[in-house]
């Protein structure tokens, strides 16, 4: 397909142009560096373009595989842009582009800290006591953990060396050094590595523990329940455990779900371990299938509001302001030039991946076109004036107009009633550079269409819908922390991922470049995203052809899975579409989707019926069932989906609805209490399936097959459920119900029986066509119930009305009774209808009488009688309303007529009321006595009205009006015309009085302006009078005189034209007022003005001096008249002064001595001034001076033209004769000097002559030619030639050029080529031999010769050919003869003298390859290469170290000791040795670390390895005393080097040594593997053999100069395991018993090392741990049993704990505290109210010491013994004084209570206790410790402090008993 032509940018965007280079604008071009293949581009013709849906249906089989495509409309489709860009403004969103991918998850650090501390306490036995500091700042462990998780975990980050990326992730915008990376790695390993392993095991289901809301013991001997548990427990049968009725009621709903707001189903409710809020596992998004292990936190606690990422609302912009912002952003990134698509894409993804800094852009996205306007024309929008009406109307109705697309014929969205923004109503997008739309697919998996109105292109990426699962998998694996924090991340539209990542994971990605005027289509389920290349405006909308339906079903299921509210109900849309007309293309898709919905609905309805839900009820009918969304359906409280087809509701929660899938979650009531709500029966749904299939007119057989398929399915799956005594089917229940219903109609109607039958029928009506008989019977029952109920209700109302019990009730309408009595046949047997019929016949008779009375002219008394009969009737007759209305109207008319007749006040009765009453007489048709009196009054009023109208027709006099007003002075009727005459009379009399007052003495007044205003108002009012007055002409004459006087007064204040003043005098003569003083003064002014005019005319006629003109101007200021010639005088003076001012610079220049003292002058201005001086009317001396300056300029221009002509002649000279060079050079220099002189003279004149630049340019060219000609006799340098060429490029040769110039230019260019060939060492790119020969041949074709340069070129070609011969001899040698020195020599000669050729490239490449190989070799074994050693010497050292390593492997532990250090023997002459006392190996003192020597006695020295053999511990510094144990070359890298050296062209000596080293390394590896295999599989108790072999392996690997990383890791693992076994053995065999913490910590370390369960040490430790945990669990229960267990058992249990092989300090302290006794009752601590003695600190129960209230201060009887009576009186006095009440004290636990005794008192008590123990030692010998304790308890009032001291001493006794 060809390239589409982009549309021009819309006019209103101020000339914005595309800045992409042409090479990247094609839609089918490659995507640049990303290598993303392009999606297809389509170019429909005009015929194909008519129907969008049809065209998309045509291309879908090909385009859907890409997920996206571009459509370029035909050239004639150019819709106008409908928005006014000058007034258009829009809101924006701020996009942080650098955080679209590389951003931390919105994790809450407090939640992470809480979970991390719990992990430390439960698994490590410690707390995080201090902050972790990294580079001076506190390190956020939460972000660090998520950052490492983002990049694959600790192991992967270490392996791929990604600590730099992790650091940028944790602390963006800060650089990190290599040292900081290492520190960050160490901090993670120290603090978070164990937590990562725990987290991974937990997620994989390895952890054993699960979250439980009930804390109960699983041991059979101690099963307890706690009232504080948050999850309600259930027994095995699912019923609630009834511990305590009162407690159960209080805690019925102790926690509710934050999603569904229900406190039910507590057994599957999760509590957040931080905020304590609850969620059902099925209410989470996405739902969980089971309770997760470990601690659980809700998303609100996991996500921090501070770190939550989204697009923040930004400023509001106009298009112009947004354009400026976009332009600044683009210039910042790419400058002002054009930019390729590759550069833009590369820079965008660099920003997204966080390597280009922080970048924020603005994006006007998701702009609702119903609010902000659409870019396409719309019928209701205002049409711009620049757009023609027919063009506007054409595109308003275009199907490609996105406002029309969703509702086109064939679109499933035709049925949607309401406008959904973004789906039905397009969204507008105004973007700038890098503004993005992130990866997503459309709502409900819709199609989408995007149109780019104008601006720069938009780049799209797409993943086909068939690969959506693979895309989501890659997204989750690439951004695991973001998905952990937000499982619905892909719904948020805020995340991008580089397409290259998807391609690396084999997910197909395609791209499209959308240009202005292009459409982009995205297909269902296709993920797409992209960004803008600059300022642009696009518009997008969704649409849904029929093939979308299956995808829409998938989208609905996806919303349900993530508990997201859907945009619309897919089921409702499908049913509405199926009911309508659909074409043959849509029918298969509708049928398939309807069949799926029907099957699913049928399955769930049958399931809930089997579960016991038998109640059902149809949903209310829609008002507009042919549209979607007219009424909002309820939503499921669990999955938030609209419940269109069906729902389940329970009476306990009437406002809550659930879908059929979640029917068990609505409540905990029995199923029979719940009810199924349905909109369609299964029969109706099956009919819809058949309807959608029968619309296919081509064939009928599919519909029949479908009907048979559904019927067979119904027959094969007989719906049955389990009942007592067996099973019963729904059909059998329906038959039984039909039998009972038929019997019902054979008996008199019973309401309860009918209601029971209808209620029982609910379980059948929702079913399929097999239940049609039931539904028909239900209709009959409903009809019978309605009819019988109506009969009974009517009878009840009639009886109540007749008896007078319910007079306030509404009577029964006669029509309703007639409707009930007219049923034929009657729906049921109801006897009451006969009684009702008798009452109805009486009502019919009354109705006939009322109709007869209303149709004739009756008296009012008769009508009132009929109405009285109606009031006593219990049935409502509609004719009574007319009767009542007529009676009321008659009474109102009588009252109004009497009021008009009896009125006496003047004009009180309105004539319209009389006419109305007259007209109502004929309407009433009632005989009334007031009729005649009213008609007489009407006739008199009409007579008065006619006379008034007659007078008002024509002008009338004042006298006639006064006569008529006197006749009708006190008339009672208000006649409008009479009122008008009265008002006219009043106005005329008032005007005459005013006129007489104004006309008094007008000529003497000074305020003539006010006189004019008064007379104008008087004249205007007089003209408006309807009565004629005689004073009006006099007022007009006085007004004219006043106006004339007013004009003269104004003329005195301001200057007026001469003609105007003369006109005023003429008006005064006409009005005969010229004798007044005002007009006499005006005549004198006229005479003075005439004299001035005569003098001005004379001055203008002759050229006078400037002084005369200025004098006459001064005289004109004293004359108050606008003089006609004054403007001409002033213009002449102004023209002369202006000319002098303009001429001043030229006059100064001509008289100036210093050249250049004034700026350059314009010659054209000078000519203009000279010609203009001839028009002046004032005589001036400066004219002649200016003409002299003009003459000098003309002479200079002639000299300049002559010089330029000479230059043209010289530059046209031919250079064919070599002898002319020297002569021509002299002419050129002479002419150049002459031109410089002429330029200097022209500049001194200070004029901007056009010839000066030409002279300067020609002079520069001549100087350039002179320099070029000099190269013919010498050999120039490259710098000289380049500078000459640069000078030539800066010269302008437009005006002056010729043969000489062209020849010299060609010659200098050839010199540059020749120098480029000859100057080989300085060349950046070496040229070829053919290029040199071509340059040599080109020297013959130029018109100038350079003989010296030609000779140098010939010599260079000869040297190259000699080098080629030497290279051919080298390549002809065999591989052994081609030494390294020969190829180096050949390389140096070639670089000095050879041109570019394949032989030289081969030599250079081979040398470079070998040198890189050697450099790589040196880097690998760099530590062996000293400053003075070569690579070969270093290889000898490595080989020697491998020899020593093999020697160590070959020697047994008991072999003869060495006299030489086992390290590399570099110090043979050294005599300072240390010999290990165990292995007898010798070590140089220089090889040993100083710290290691200091820790051992020099006489008894034990090496590092023997220490490992002894105790299994490895030095913290790593490595032993051997030289090469720190860093060694890897064997893998040496093998790769050896493989690379196979293809070398020259023979390398180091290759043979490398071969030997690799062979030796393989031998060492073999020996090491044997030891490691033995050590890793060893499980026995004796560790001596393993230690011996590992010691040999450690020595051999550290001394070896080569290592293998895998073997090294395995050796570290084997050493660590051995160390763990040695320490575990010491822990088991130590005399001091280990604590539980030590055992657990050691076993945790073993678990991390993957110690096999069969290991001897592991089994011993596990057994020890089990014993300790079992006893500790029992101890905790005993310690919290509140004294349930006797003291004898407690002491025995304490003794058992002290004799365990493991020490449990915490539990023993708990039991000892549990054994302490209190009060005189000697009971353990409990929750009874207590009081403490102030002296001894002993606690006493209030009831034991018989206290009524709680005293403030208490002394026990042992501390202060008193008589009983005195104590009681004191207590009573204290109670009276304080009014104390009996309150339980807040007593702390005994083990947390501090002793209140003073130190001296405590010491004395301890001493007494010890004496008592010595005195009673004989008791211990004769009885047990328990008996002794009981004996002590029998003594009264023993203090607790003494008892605690004695219990501590009992530990000796317990040990003695154990012996």
């Amino acid at each position: 397909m060809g390239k589409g032509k982009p549309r021009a940018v819309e006019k209103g965007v101020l000339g914005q142009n595309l800045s992409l280079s042409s090479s990247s604008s094609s839609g089918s071009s490659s995507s640049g560096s990303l290598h993303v293949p392009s999606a297809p581009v389509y170019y429909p013709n005009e015929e194909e373009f008519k129907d969008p849906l049809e065209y998309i249906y045509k291309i879908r089989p090909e385009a859907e595989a890409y997920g996206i495509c571009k459509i370029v409309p035909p050239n004639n489709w150019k819709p106008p842009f409908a928005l006014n860009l000058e007034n258009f403004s829009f809101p924006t969103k701020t996009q942080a582009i650098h955080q679209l991918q590389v951003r931390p998850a919105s994790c809450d650090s407090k939640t992470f800290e809480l979970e991390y501390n719990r992990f430390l306490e439960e698994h490590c036995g410690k707390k995080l006591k201090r902050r972790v500091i990294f580079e001076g700042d506190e390190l956020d462990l939460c972000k660090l953990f998520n950052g490492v998780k983002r990049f694959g975990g600790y192991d992967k980050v270490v392996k791929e060396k990604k600590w730099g990326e992790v650091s940028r992730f944790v602390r963006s915008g800060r650089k990190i050094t290599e040292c900081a990376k290492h520190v960050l790695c160490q901090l993670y390993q120290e603090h978070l590595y164990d937590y990562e392993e725990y987290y991974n095991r937990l997620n994989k289901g390895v952890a054993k523990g699960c979250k439980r809301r009930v804390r109960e013991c699983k041991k059979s001997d101690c099963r307890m329940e706690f009232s504080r548990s948050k999850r309600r427990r259930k027994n095995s049968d699912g019923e609630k455990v009834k511990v305590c009725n009162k407690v159960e009621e209080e805690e019925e709903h102790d926690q509710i779900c934050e999603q569904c707001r229900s406190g039910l189903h507590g057994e599957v409710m999760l509590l957040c371990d931080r905020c304590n809020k609850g969620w059902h596992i099925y209410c989470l998004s996405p739902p969980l299938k089971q309770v997760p292990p470990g601690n659980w936190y809700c998303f609100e606690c996991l996500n921090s509001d501070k770190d939550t990422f989204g697009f923040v609302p930004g400023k509001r912009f106009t298009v112009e302001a947004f354009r400026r912002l976009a332009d600044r952003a683009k210039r910042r990134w790419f400058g002002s030039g054009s930019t390729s698509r590759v550069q833009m894409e590369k820079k965008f993804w660099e920003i997204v991946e966080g390597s280009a800094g922080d970048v924020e852009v603005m994006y006007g996205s998701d702009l609702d076109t119903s609010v902000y306007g659409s870019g396409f024309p719309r019928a209701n929008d205002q049409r711009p004036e620049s757009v023609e009406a027919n063009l506007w109307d054409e595109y308003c109705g275009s199907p490609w107009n996105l406002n029309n697309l969703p509702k086109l014929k064939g679109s499933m969205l035709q049925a949607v009633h309401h406008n959904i923004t973004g789906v039905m109503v397009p969204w507008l997008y105004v973007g700038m550079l890098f503004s993005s739309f992130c990866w997503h697919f459309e709502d409900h998996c819709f199609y989408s269409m995007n149109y780019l109105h104008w601006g720069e292109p938009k780049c799209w990426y797409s993943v086909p819908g068939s690969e959506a699962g693979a895309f989501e998998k890659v997204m989750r694996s690439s951004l695991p922390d973001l998905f952990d924090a937000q499982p619905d991340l892909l719904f948020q539209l805020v995340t991008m991922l580089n397409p290259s990542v998807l391609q690396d994971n084999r997910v197909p990605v395609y791209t499209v470049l959308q240009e202005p005027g292009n459409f982009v289509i995205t297909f269902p389920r296709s993920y797409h995203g992209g960004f803008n290349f600059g300022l642009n405006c696009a518009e997008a909308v969704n649409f849904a052809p029929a093939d979308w339906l299956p995808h829409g079903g998938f989208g609905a299921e996806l919303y349900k899975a993530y508990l997201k509210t859907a945009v619309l109900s897919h089921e409702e849309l499908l049913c509405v579409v199926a009911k309508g007309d659909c074409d043959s293309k849509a029918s298969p898709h509708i049928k398939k989707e309807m069949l799926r919905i029907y099957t699913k609905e049928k399955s769930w309805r049958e399931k809930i019926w089997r579960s016991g839900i038998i109640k059902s009820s149809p949903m209310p009918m829609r008002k507009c069932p042919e549209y979607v969304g007219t009424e909002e359906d309820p939503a499921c409280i669990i999955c938030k989906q609209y419940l269109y087809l069906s729902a389940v509701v329970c009476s306990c929660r009437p406002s809550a609805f659930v879908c059929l899938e979640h029917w068990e979650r609505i409540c905990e009531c029995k199923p029979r209490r719940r009810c199924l709500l349905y909109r369609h029966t299964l029969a109706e749904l099956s009919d819809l399936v058949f309807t959608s299939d029968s619309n296919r007119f081509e064939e009928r057989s599919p519909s029949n097959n479908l009907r048979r398929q559904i019927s067979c399915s119904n027959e094969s799956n007989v719906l049955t459920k389990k009942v007592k005594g067996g099973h019963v089917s729904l059909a059998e229940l329906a038959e039984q119900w039909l039998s009972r219903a038929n019997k019902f109609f054979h008996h008199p109607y019973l309401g309860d029986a009918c209601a029971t039958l209808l209620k029982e029928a609910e379980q059948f009506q929702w079913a399929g066509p097999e239940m049609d008989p039931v539904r028909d019977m239900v209709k009959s029952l409903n009809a019978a119930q309605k009819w019988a109920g109506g009969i009974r209700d009517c009878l009840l109302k009639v009886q109540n009305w007749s008896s007078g019990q319910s007079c306030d009730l509404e009577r029964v309408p006669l029509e309703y009774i007639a409707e009930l009595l007219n049923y034929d046949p009657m729906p049921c047997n109801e006897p009451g209808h006969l009684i009702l019929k008798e009452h109805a016949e009486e009502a019919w008779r009354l109705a006939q009488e009322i109709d007869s009375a209303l149709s004739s002219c009756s008296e009012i008394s008769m009508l009132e009688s009929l109405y009285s009969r109606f009031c006593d009737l219990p049935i409502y007759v509609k004719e009574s309303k007319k009767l009542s209305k007529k009676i009321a109207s008659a009474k109102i008319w009588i009252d109004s007529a009497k009021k008009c007749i009896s009125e006496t006040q003047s004009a009180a009765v309105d004539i319209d009321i009389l006419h109305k009453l007259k007209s109502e007489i004929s309407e009433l048709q009632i005989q009334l006595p007031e009729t005649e009196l009213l008609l007489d009054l009407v006739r008199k009023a009409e007579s008065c009205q006619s006379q008034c109208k007659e007078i008002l027709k024509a002008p009338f006099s004042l006298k006639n009006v006064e006569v008529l007003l006197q006749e009708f002075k006190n008339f009672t009727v208000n006649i409008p015309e009479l009122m008008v005459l009265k008002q006219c009379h009043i106005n005329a009399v008032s005007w005459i009085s005013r006129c007489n007052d104004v006309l008094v003495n007008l000529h003497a007044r000074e305020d003539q302006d006010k006189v004019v205003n008064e007379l104008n108002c008087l004249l205007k009012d007089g003209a408006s009078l309807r009565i004629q007055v005689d004073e009006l002409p006099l007022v007009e004459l006085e007004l004219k005189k006043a106006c004339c006087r007013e004009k003269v007064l104004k003329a005195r204040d301001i200057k007026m034209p001469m003609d105007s003043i003369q006109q005023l005098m003429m008006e005064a003569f006409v009005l005969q007022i010229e004798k007044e003083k005002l007009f006499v003064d005006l005549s004198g002014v006229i005479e003075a003005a005439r004299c001035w005019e005569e003098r001005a005319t004379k001055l203008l006629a002759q050229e006078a001096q400037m002084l005369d003109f200025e004098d006459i101007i001064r005289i004109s200021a004293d004359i108050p008249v606008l003089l006609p010639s004054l403007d001409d005088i002033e213009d002449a003076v102004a023209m002369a002064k202006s000319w002098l001012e303009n001429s001043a610079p030229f006059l100064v220049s001509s008289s100036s001595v210093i050249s250049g003292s004034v700026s350059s002058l314009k010659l054209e201005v000078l000519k203009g001034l000279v010609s203009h001086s001839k028009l002046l009317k004032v005589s001036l001396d400066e004219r002649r001076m200016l003409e002299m300056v003009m003459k000098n300029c003309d002479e200079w221009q002639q000299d300049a033209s002559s010089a330029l002509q000479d230059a043209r002649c010289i530059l046209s000279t031919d250079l064919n004769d070599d002898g002319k060079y020297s002569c021509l050079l002299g002419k050129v220099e002479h002419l150049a000097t002459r031109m410089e002189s002429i330029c200097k003279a022209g500049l001194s004149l200070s004029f901007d002559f056009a010839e000066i630049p030409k002279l300067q340019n020609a002079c520069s060219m001549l100087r350039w030619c002179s320099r070029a000609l000099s190269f013919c006799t010498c050999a120039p340098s490259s710098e000289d030639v380049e500078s000459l060429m640069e000078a030539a490029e800066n010269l302008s040769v437009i005006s002056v050029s010729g043969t000489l110039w062209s020849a010299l230019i060609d010659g200098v260019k050839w010199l540059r080529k020749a120098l480029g060939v000859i100057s080989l060492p300085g060349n950046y790119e070496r040229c070829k031999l053919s290029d040199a020969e071509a340059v040599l041949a080109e020297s013959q074709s130029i018109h100038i010769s350079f003989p010296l340069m030609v000779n140098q070129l010939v010599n260079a070609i000869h040297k190259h050919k000699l080098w080629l011969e030497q290279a051919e001899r080298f390549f002809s040698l065999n591989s052994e003869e081609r030494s390294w020195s020969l190829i180096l020599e050949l390389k140096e000669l070639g670089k000095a003298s050879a041109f570019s050729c394949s032989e030289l490239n081969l030599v250079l490449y081979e040398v470079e390859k070998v040198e890189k190989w050697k450099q790589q070799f040196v880097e690998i074994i760099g530590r062996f290469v000293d400053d003075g050693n070569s690579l070969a010497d270093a290889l000898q050292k490595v080989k020697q170290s491998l020899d020593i390593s093999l020697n160590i492997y070959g020697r047994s532990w008991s072999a003869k000791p060495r006299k030489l250090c086992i390290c590399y023997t570099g110090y043979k002459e050294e005599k300072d040795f240390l010999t290990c006392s165990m292995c007898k190996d010798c070590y140089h003192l220089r090889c040993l670390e100083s710290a290691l020597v200091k820790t051992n006695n020099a006489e008894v020295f034990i090496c590092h390895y023997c220490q490992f053999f002894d105790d299994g511990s490895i030095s913290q510094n790593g490595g032993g005393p051997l030289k090469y144990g720190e860093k060694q070359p890897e064997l893998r890298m040496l093998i790769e080097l050896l493989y690379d050296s196979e293809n070398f062209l020259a023979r390398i000596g180091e290759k043979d040594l490398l071969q030997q080293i690799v062979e030796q390394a393989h031998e060492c590896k073999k020996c090491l593997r044997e030891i490691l295999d033995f050590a890793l599989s060893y499980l026995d108790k004796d560790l001596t053999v393993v230690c011996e072999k590992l010691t040999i392996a450690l020595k051999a690997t550290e001394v070896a100069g080569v290592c293998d990383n895998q073997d090294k890791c395995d050796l570290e693992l084997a050493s660590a395991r051995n160390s763990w076994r040695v320490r575990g053995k010491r822990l088991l065999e130590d005399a001091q018993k280990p604590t539980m913490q030590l055992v657990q910590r050691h076993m945790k370390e073993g678990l991390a090392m993957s110690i096999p369960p069969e290991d001897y040490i592991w089994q011993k430790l596990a057994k020890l741990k089990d014993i300790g945990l079992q006893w500790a669990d029992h101890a905790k229960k005993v310690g919290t049993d509140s004294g349930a267990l006797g003291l004898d058992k407690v002491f025995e249990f304490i003794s058992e704990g002290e004799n365990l092989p493991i020490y449990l300090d915490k539990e023993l302290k708990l039991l000892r505290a549990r054994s302490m006794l209190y009060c005189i009752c000697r009971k353990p601590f409990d929750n009874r109210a207590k009081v403490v003695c102030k002296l001894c600190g002993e606690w006493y129960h209030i009831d034991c010491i018989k206290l009524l209230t709680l005293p403030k201060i208490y002394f026990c009887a042992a501390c202060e013994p008193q008589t009983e009576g005195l104590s009681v009186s004191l207590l009573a006095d204290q109670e009276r004084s304080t009014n104390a009440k009996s309150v339980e004290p807040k007593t702390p636990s005994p083990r947390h209570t501090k002793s209140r005794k003073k130190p001296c008192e405590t010491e004395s008590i301890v001493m007494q206790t010890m004496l008592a123990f010595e005195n009673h030692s004989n008791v211990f010998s004769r009885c047990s410790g328990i008996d002794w304790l009981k004996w002590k308890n029998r003594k009264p009032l023993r203090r607790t402090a003494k008892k605690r001291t004695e219990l501590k001493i009992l530990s000796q006794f317990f040990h003695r008993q154990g012996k």
Side-chain angles (χ1 to χ4, degrees), residues 394-466:
E394 175 188 352
Y395 285 103
C396 281
S398 172
W400 288 89
N401 185 330
L402 298 191
N403 297 283
N404 305 327
L405 181 67
K407 293 193 175 184
L408 292 178
K409 183 179 180 181
S411 172
M412 299 297 102
L413 298 179
Q414 268 186 306
V416 179
H417 178 69
H418 56 294
N419 290 329
I420 307 172
T421 59
V423 177
M424 302 293 296
V425 178
W427 270 347
L428 204 64
Y429 298 86
V430 183
M432 61 180 291
L433 178 66
F434 296 149
S435 57
S436 310
F437 45 103
C438 299
W439 285 111
H440 70 287
F441 62 78
E442 300 299 319
D443 293 333
H444 280 271
C445 303
F446 286 127
Y447 283 78
S448 78
M449 181 179 286
N450 186 292
Y451 180 77
L452 189 58
H453 287 290
W454 49 260
E456 301 205 29
K458 189 187 292 281
C459 183
W460 294 71
Y461 303 99
S462 173
V463 174
S466 59

Side-chain angles (χ1 to χ4, degrees), residues 1205-1301:
Q1205 182 62 35
D1206 293 344
R1208 292 190 187 95
C1209 294
I1210 290 178
L1211 291 175
S1212 301
T1213 304
D1214 193 2
L1215 293 178
N1216 292 332
D1217 188 1
D1218 296 341
K1220 291 183 180 181
Y1221 293 162
S1222 59
C1223 181
L1224 184 61
L1225 183 60
K1227 290 182 180 181
V1228 169
E1229 291 178 351
H1230 172 73
L1231 183 58
T1233 303
R1234 178 186 167 197
M1235 283 187 170
E1236 289 175 352
S1237 175
I1238 294 174
C1239 285
K1240 185 176 180 181
L1243 292 172
S1244 66
L1245 292 175
S1246 302
F1247 281 90
D1248 58 343
F1249 294 110
E1251 291 82 359
I1252 290 178
K1254 297 179 181 179
L1255 287 170
Q1256 291 173 342
N1257 186 42
C1259 184
S1260 299
M1261 290 179 64
L1262 291 173
R1263 293 295 184 189
W1264 187 91
C1265 293
S1266 173
R1267 189 178 173 191
L1269 288 170
S1270 66
F1271 289 165
C1272 296
T1273 59
C1274 65
S1277 64
S1278 300
E1279 292 77 7
D1280 295 338
V1281 175
E1282 289 296 331
S1283 64
L1284 197 62
M1285 286 304 298
E1286 291 177 2
E1289 292 174 357
N1290 297 327
L1291 292 176
S1292 175
V1293 295
I1294 298 175
S1295 58
V1296 183
S1297 61
T1299 308
L1300 176 63
W1301 171 261

Side-chain angles (χ1 to χ4, degrees), residues 102-104 143 146-147 150 165-171 481:
V102 184
R103 67 174 184 270
K143 283 189 177 180
N146 284 329
R150 168 73 65 88
E165 288 83 348
V166 172
S167 175
R168 284 195 296 271
F169 185 87
V170 175
R171 304 186 307 169
D481 55 323

Side-chain angles (χ1 to χ4, degrees), residues 779-808:
K779 291 179 182 178
S780 301
L781 287 172
N782 284 327
Q785 187 182 44
K786 181 179 178 182
W787 184 79
I791 293 291
R792 292 184 177 184
D793 185 55
C794 291
L795 282 176
L796 180 61
K797 289 182 179 180
V798 168
Q799 292 172 2
N800 291 338
W801 185 275
S802 300
S803 61
Q805 297 178 1
S806 304
C807 296
D808 295 336

